[in-house]
Amino acid sequence: MTHQFRFRRGIVTAALLCLFPATVFAQNNGGPRMDHENTLPPTPTGPTPRTADGHPDLTGLWNGLADNLLGVPNQMHNVGIEVGTDTTRDIHSGIQVATWPLQNRARQNNEQNERAATLLRRMGSNRPIYKPQYWQRVKDFDANSNEEDPSNNCMPAGVPRMGVPSYIAQTPTYLIFIYPGQGGLIATATSYRMIPTDGRKHTNLEDLDGTWNGEAIGHWEGDTMVVDTIGFNSTSWFDQLGGYFHSENMHVIERLHRDGNTLTWTATIEDPDVLLEPWTTTPRVALLNPDPKAILLESLPCSERDFAHVVTKEHH
Amino acid sequence: MLSRARITKLLAIGAMGIVALAGLAFRAQGQQRNDSKPSVAAKTIPAKAAESATDPNTSEVAKTLKAAAEAVGLARWSGVGGQKLPEVDVVNTMELWASGTTYGLGQPSKPGEPLTALNTEVHVALGYNPPAMRLEMTCTNPGAPAQGGAAPIHTIQVVRENYAWDESEIGAGLVPGKGTATPTMAAVNNRLLRLWILPYGVIKAALAAGDKTKLSTENGATVLTFPLSKPFADVMVKATLDAQNMVARVETRTDNPKLGGMLTETEYSDYADHGEIATDIKSPGHIVHKQNGHPVLDIHVKMWDANNPYLVFPVPENVKKAAAQ
């Protein structure tokens, strides 16, 4: 066995190991198992609780699908493609994708599984439109993301890449969002946000030091919580896939809407420095953890990658 | 020596050949819109065809299509994380680089001489959702220096759904000061057709054709015959599979005067995963395209990125305005 082959197998093994925390996480918290036969969004059930001030109560542990850890699409959920048992749909375009229902089929090795999963995660039609002078940069970042992706160096995922918060606590004047970190090949640190909803205004952008999560302020538009964030650094990428870099002038508008035991999240990214037009993520639907006693467990520590030993550009 | 106009004409012809690369696509119906929203027909046909491909009592056509889709790496499933999902068509965007020769059609530059061969560099970016292709070609006449010299001819032809335009540089016409985009609406069908004669496009289109896809055997080889959907309803495709179920040869026939009433033949061989990032998607390494029996393009692939790379095809405003007129 050659060294290269051993390293490749090691990388694939590491990639698989990175999936385990999500599975363990879900099972430890009473969430559903990960052996889904489809990636259709959950159907809302139950009433939408409201707080004393009449707004929907977003409080809860939103990891019922066990795949919204820092927005990382470890599995197939929330990647813009709805895979049913016999039909598949690109959510953004509505295009139906050819589907062959599950049948007895030959076993696949880990590499085959990972490569197929990667293709599926990346096949969606909803892509930000950068100014043409940045197309090649996005492609280069994407192709070399094993080295270029800031999250592979234990940096925070940042907003909006973190996606749906795994836990929300709601008070009359602020929200707390918690995003557990994870170890494994896709390694990110635990992050939190404290988001005022008391009607305050943003600090002047010029007076803000750019950060990973920026300055967030929330307000209600009907039953939808709108979180408006500015003041970013330019280090993070704004989505898990694609090498989607941004400037310090990025402006993110997140929308969270609770319907029973589901929470739908979208983010609109405005960045006239690099984008040709604003881009809105495909809606992601999180499921309330059905276990009322569920808690967030301690995250695994982030460990940096030994890039000198990475011999392939395969990545998620 | 070839004139610049003649070289440009040859480029256009060669581009048609590059067809080779292009694919057919079941989403031709969705080409009347620019927001990538599909037509109802496009939504339903492929899934139906795919379903029938997995029925135990399914037709031989469906079984053959499934085998072809799996052979080329288009139909894929993953058990990552314990998922038990069905197989789906995972091919959307692709990018490839190739080099080879473009041949002149018709008469040679001088009586008795062979057809002129131009050294050709090809760069293609394509997507099936929405159907789009950017074809960049650079052709050089190797005999030109001895004949007084001629600058390489560089063209960038783009199509997306029902828009077609030429770019002075990649992404031209989208931001001020960055090149010009010249509407070429009459070329929409020709350019889209390129997308559907690629192996992946052939499979997608054959699935979309549903019951109209017929199976036969010629000289021991499996042959699929089917019509393309609108706007290519009068184009018949004949695809021959090799022993590994790879699309080895594609013929298109049409009497449509807009497409020149031509017969095209494209041969694909040397299938492999030609990407820098392994995907298990097999792409042809050698493509030969003929029109009306004449070879017009013969290229070897240097790299074929099938990992659904970041490729976008926004339509410049002036092209939208031209289309609306």
Side-chain angles (χ1 to χ4, degrees):
Chain A
M1 183 183 293
T2 65
H3 285 294
Q4 180 167 337
F5 186 57
R6 274 202 300 270
F7 280 132
R8 176 170 290 201
R9 288 190 61 179
I11 290 164
V12 172
T13 302
L16 290 173
L17 285 174
C18 81
L19 305 175
F20 288 159
T23 306
V24 171
F25 188 90
Q27 292 172 342
N28 283 352
N29 290 280
R33 291 172 54 82
M34 294 303 297
D35 53 353
H36 303 299
E37 295 183 356
N38 64 70
T39 66
L40 303 176
T43 302
T45 59
T48 301
R50 292 184 180 273
T51 56
D53 55 13
H55 295 302
D57 189 354
L58 307 183
T59 300
L61 200 53
W62 295 101
N63 63 357
L65 291 173
D67 70 334
N68 58 335
L69 304 174
L70 282 174
V72 176
N74 280 333
Q75 312 305 327
M76 305 305 182
H77 281 273
N78 287 327
V79 296
I81 303 293
E82 287 181 357
V83 183
T85 53
D86 54 6
T87 60
T88 300
R89 185 175 75 100
D90 180 292
I91 298 172
H92 177 65
S93 68
I95 289 287
Q96 291 286 337
V97 178
T99 307
W100 294 268
L102 178 66
Q103 284 189 318
N104 294 333
R105 48 192 176 193
R107 292 176 61 86
Q108 289 187 152
N109 62 33
N110 292 341
E111 281 187 340
Q112 292 169 317
N113 272 326
E114 283 290 338
R115 288 171 184 166
T118 297
L119 285 164
L120 190 66
R121 293 184 188 107
R122 300 166 57 84
M123 63 183 274
S125 65
N126 187 18
R127 300 184 175 191
I129 307 296
Y130 279 82
K131 293 180 177 178
Q133 58 265 42
Y134 298 118
W135 292 353
Q136 189 60 46
R137 185 188 296 186
V138 175
K139 285 196 294 184
D140 289 343
F141 277 161
D142 183 28
N144 298 290
S145 65
N146 283 341
E147 295 183 357
E148 299 289 350
D149 188 340
S151 285
N152 281 355
N153 290 303
C154 289
M155 293 294 105
V159 171
R161 183 175 178 176
M162 293 190 294
V164 187
S166 286
Y167 178 73
I168 296 176
Q170 181 173 332
T171 79
T173 54
Y174 62 86
L175 295 164
I176 296 288
F177 289 180
I178 297 179
Y179 307 82
Q182 60 179 318
L185 192 59
I186 298 175
T188 45
T190 296
S191 189
Y192 64 88
R193 300 163 75 189
M194 186 170 182
I195 302 168
T197 57
D198 56 4
R200 73 181 67 181
K201 304 298 181 186
H202 273 302
T203 307
N204 289 330
L205 182 61
E206 297 74 23
D207 297 329
L208 287 171
D209 290 328
T211 62
W212 297 87
N213 294 347
E215 181 189 78
I217 293 175
H219 70 276
W220 290 98
E221 291 183 2
D223 283 348
T224 299
M225 166 52 62
V226 179
V227 179
D228 189 290
T229 309
I230 61 171
F232 296 100
N233 63 29
S234 59
T235 308
S236 66
W237 292 357
F238 63 72
D239 199 31
Q240 184 59 35
L241 304 175
Y244 299 149
F245 71 97
H246 61 84
S247 77
E248 294 180 349
N249 288 323
M250 180 172 70
H251 174 205
V252 177
I253 305 106
E254 296 164 274
R255 289 180 168 81
L256 300 97
H257 184 86
R258 178 169 185 171
D259 185 0
N261 63 341
T262 64
L263 183 69
T264 300
W265 173 92
T266 62
T268 297
I269 293 93
E270 299 175 353
D271 191 342
D273 286 0
V274 299
L275 294 181
L276 204 57
E277 57 194 37
W279 179 67
T280 299
T281 64
T282 304
R284 299 181 187 176
V285 182
L287 182 67
L288 188 68
N289 194 310
D291 181 356
K293 295 183 178 179
I295 61 172
L296 285 178
L297 300 181
E298 179 181 350
S299 300
L300 294 174
C302 179
S303 57
E304 294 185 3
R305 306 297 140 222
D306 185 358
F307 292 117
H309 291 156
V310 175
V311 296
T312 170
K313 291 188 174 184
E314 290 182 56
H315 58 82
H316 286 281
Chain B
M1 184 178 72
L2 288 178
S3 67
R4 189 178 181 87
R6 181 167 168 75
I7 292 177
T8 303
K9 183 180 178 184
L10 292 177
L11 268 177
I13 295 168
M16 189 56 211
I18 283 202
V19 159
L21 328 166
L24 318 155
F26 55 80
R27 244 167 299 100
Q29 298 99 321
Q31 291 151 2
Q32 299 310 310
R33 303 177 59 171
N34 187 37
D35 56 1
S36 77
K37 303 298 183 189
S39 68
V40 173
K43 286 183 178 179
T44 56
I45 291 176
K48 273 188 179 175
E51 282 174 24
S52 62
T54 57
D55 188 308
N57 301 313
T58 191
S59 69
E60 288 302 313
V61 173
K63 288 180 181 175
T64 300
L65 281 172
K66 183 168 186 269
E70 289 178 339
V72 80
L74 177 146
R76 302 287 285 278
W77 63 276
S78 175
V80 164
Q83 301 277 352
K84 296 179 179 176
L85 301 177
E87 275 182 291
V88 300
D89 171 1
V90 296
V91 170
N92 183 5
T93 58
M94 294 178 150
E95 187 170 25
L96 65 102
W97 296 261
S99 61
T101 306
T102 302
Y103 296 96
L105 271 180
Q107 300 295 317
S109 54
K110 291 182 180 178
E113 289 187 351
L115 294 175
T116 303
L118 302 178
N119 294 338
T120 303
E121 295 292 326
V122 177
H123 172 209
V124 179
L126 64 94
Y128 287 100
N129 183 12
M133 177 181 279
R134 176 176 286 106
L135 169 60
E136 182 179 14
M137 291 182 70
T138 304
C139 288
T140 308
N141 183 357
Q147 301 169 23
I153 304 297
H154 180 236
T155 60
I156 304 174
Q157 301 178 357
V158 191
V159 64
R160 172 181 166 162
E161 298 169 290
N162 58 332
Y163 299 94
W165 65 99
D166 289 346
E167 295 177 338
S168 61
E169 59 183 292
I170 289 179
L174 294 170
V175 295
K178 185 167 173 57
T180 56
T182 305
T184 55
M185 303 310 297
V188 167
N189 284 3
N190 261 339
R191 295 182 182 183
L192 278 176
L193 185 59
R194 299 168 185 167
L195 191 61
W196 301 117
I197 63 172
L198 278 176
Y200 320 99
V202 166
I203 295 168
K204 289 171 185 276
L207 284 166
D211 295 341
K212 294 178 181 176
T213 299
K214 305 300 181 188
L215 185 67
S216 61
T217 303
E218 289 186 11
N219 301 320
T222 301
V223 174
L224 292 161
T225 307
F226 55 91
L228 293 181
S229 52
K230 291 180 180 179
F232 307 109
D234 52 356
V235 177
M236 287 298 296
V237 177
K238 177 181 171 184
T240 305
L241 307 184
D242 65 16
Q244 285 73 46
N245 292 312
M246 301 290 191
V247 176
R249 178 183 171 86
V250 178
E251 290 182 23
T252 63
R253 292 176 184 273
T254 179
D255 295 326
N256 186 340
K258 289 183 179 178
L259 295 173
M262 63 187 163
L263 161 69
T264 73
E265 306 160 80
T266 311
E267 295 170 358
Y268 301 101
S269 57
D270 300 341
Y271 275 91
D273 189 340
H274 292 287
E276 186 180 20
I277 298 175
T279 59
D280 294 335
I281 289 179
K282 303 296 189 294
S283 53
H286 185 200
I287 300 170
V288 178
H289 183 73
K290 298 176 183 177
Q291 272 181 226
N292 293 326
H294 298 279
V296 293
L297 184 79
D298 186 334
I299 55 172
H300 290 269
V301 170
K302 293 185 281 191
M303 187 161 73
W304 193 310
D305 182 358
N307 200 33
N308 287 324
Y310 176 78
L311 298 169
V312 291
F313 308 88
V315 182
E317 285 303 318
N318 69 310
V319 175
K320 291 180 182 175
K321 288 178 182 174
Q325 291 174 351

